Amino acid sequence: MIDRRTIVAAAAALAFSVSAAAAQDWKARYPELIFAKVPDENASGTTNRWTPLTEYLSRELGTKVTLRIANDYAAVIEGQRAGNIHIAMYGPASYARAYIIGAKVEPFAIEVNGDGTKGYYSVLYVKSDSSYKDIKDLQGKNLCLVDPNSTSGNNVPRFAMNKMGIDPEKFFAKVVYSGSHENAVIGLSQGTCDAAFNWWNDEKESNLLRMERKGMAKAADFKIIMKSEQIVNSPMAYLSSLPDDLKAAIKKAVLEIAVKDKAAFDKIYEGKQLPYVEVDHKAYEAVIELTKFVDSIRKQKS
């Protein structure tokens, strides 16, 4: 006799088999997933920080996840547009650039600061023993930016300087792109530039403090003379073309990493951040508009 329980059990079994078949289907199509990270610190530091996450994802997804350290921010963006990079972790402006150039990507997780906020700042550092107190004191000096697609290291600074009536290429003797946030600080320390823009969460966490913990710099050697308005935190994004069940599996794994593999999560943020939370495109619309504005400034000059 077929009763309601039998029907429910049969339906559940069918749903499970369909789900399992779908998972096997995407595993066959994607025997390897590429996870890329923009080079905001040196290659060895990025590798050490992010390898545990890709190992965790490999275990959770049941398919190989390979970490790719790009030479510059643009390589990650172009890799996503070409469909060669399946998952990327980058700054808001890099996601904005990917979206603007037509890469089919979806942000799904956002960083969360230790105090629960989801934003950070662009700050302008000078040496502590310098006489500079304001960006206007730097006329005729050298400026270090990070990368053309860096949010806190280029786009937000350029937007802020434009509002102040400062054309960087005319105001400063030289504008240097350092390639990474660490290199910008090193450039300032070594005298390549007289001021450098960088990312800063709060008094407890910043790129400079990370460098100090690694023995690469002393925070006391630098001071902040300019701070931007708050910027929405960095997203992790995957290709829109990935199967829905694969995207769901990636999102679930990322959102659960702080619980399932706390050591891997803490390796990334050194215990300074809270677990990732879900995010979508809407959170980055303001950054997209800012990026378009910075593009328009550049076009006016060319």
Side-chain angles (χ1 to χ4, degrees):
M1 179 179 178
I2 299 176
D3 58 16
R4 181 176 178 277
R5 284 176 296 179
T6 303
I7 295 172
V8 170
L14 178 61
F16 177 79
S17 63
V18 170
S19 176
Q24 289 303 317
D25 179 58
W26 65 251
K27 286 179 183 179
R29 291 169 56 194
Y30 298 95
E32 180 182 30
L33 294 170
I34 303 300
F35 181 102
K37 178 69 177 68
V38 294
D40 46 8
E41 61 182 324
N42 62 51
S44 62
T46 304
T47 300
N48 291 337
R49 195 179 297 277
W50 291 90
T51 294
L53 177 139
T54 54
E55 292 174 343
Y56 161 79
L57 288 177
S58 295
R59 294 193 303 271
E60 289 294 305
L61 299 175
T63 194
K64 184 180 180 182
V65 179
T66 299
L67 177 65
R68 180 177 296 173
I69 310 300
N71 292 327
D72 57 27
Y73 288 47
V76 176
I77 297 166
E78 290 298 331
Q80 282 202 303
R81 178 161 70 168
N84 300 324
I85 292 174
H86 306 100
I87 315 167
M89 185 75 209
Y90 39 33
S94 292
Y95 167 70
R97 175 66 59 209
Y99 177 83
I100 289 169
I101 67 172
K104 304 302 181 184
V105 291
E106 300 173 25
F108 65 92
I110 185 174
E111 295 178 328
V112 181
N113 302 336
D115 63 0
T117 58
K118 301 172 190 173
Y120 69 114
Y121 301 87
S122 172
V123 296
L124 182 60
Y125 286 118
V126 295
K127 289 183 178 179
S128 296
D129 59 4
S130 74
S131 61
Y132 309 128
K133 296 180 180 179
D134 184 274
I135 189 171
K136 293 181 179 178
D137 296 334
L138 292 163
Q139 186 167 9
K141 305 299 180 181
N142 294 336
L143 174 70
C144 271
L145 296 175
V146 174
D147 181 282
N149 288 301
S150 171
T151 314
S152 58
N154 182 68
N155 284 12
V156 168
R158 284 188 178 276
F159 176 74
M161 286 188 283
N162 180 264
K163 287 175 65 176
M164 299 169 68
I166 294 175
D167 180 340
E169 278 68 32
K170 295 178 180 178
F171 183 83
F172 298 99
K174 184 187 297 183
V175 175
V176 179
Y177 279 112
S178 66
S180 74
H181 287 272
E182 286 186 344
N183 285 343
V185 172
I186 292 170
L188 175 55
S189 177
Q190 295 180 346
T192 302
C193 50
D194 302 287
F197 279 101
N198 233 258
W199 70 263
W200 184 92
N201 283 4
D202 50 37
E203 298 291 349
K204 296 179 180 179
E205 185 63 329
S206 63
N207 175 59
L208 180 56
L209 289 178
R210 281 189 180 180
M211 292 179 69
E212 182 173 66
R213 292 195 294 270
K214 292 193 289 184
M216 297 177 66
K218 290 184 178 180
D221 291 343
F222 307 92
K223 64 182 179 181
I224 295 171
I225 62 169
M226 177 179 169
K227 186 173 83 169
S228 74
E229 295 181 1
Q230 193 177 60
I231 310 161
V232 63
N233 271 350
S234 296
M236 194 179 295
Y238 42 43
L239 295 180
S240 301
S241 60
L242 294 179
D244 288 342
D245 52 343
L246 174 53
K247 288 191 288 188
I250 293 170
K251 181 189 293 188
K252 183 175 186 294
V254 169
L255 297 181
E256 293 178 348
I257 185 174
V259 174
K260 287 190 170 181
D261 195 338
K262 187 175 185 299
F265 181 74
D266 286 346
K267 184 69 174 179
I268 302 171
Y269 300 110
E270 301 174 39
K272 305 291 184 181
Q273 298 277 82
L274 297 180
Y276 298 112
V277 297
E278 192 170 352
V279 78
D280 59 24
H281 172 80
K282 187 174 180 61
Y284 297 96
E285 289 178 345
V287 180
I288 291 170
E289 292 308 308
L290 182 147
T291 302
K292 289 178 178 178
F293 180 78
V294 172
D295 287 348
S296 71
I297 296 172
R298 185 163 49 245
K299 289 177 182 177
Q300 290 171 10
K301 296 177 183 177
S302 60

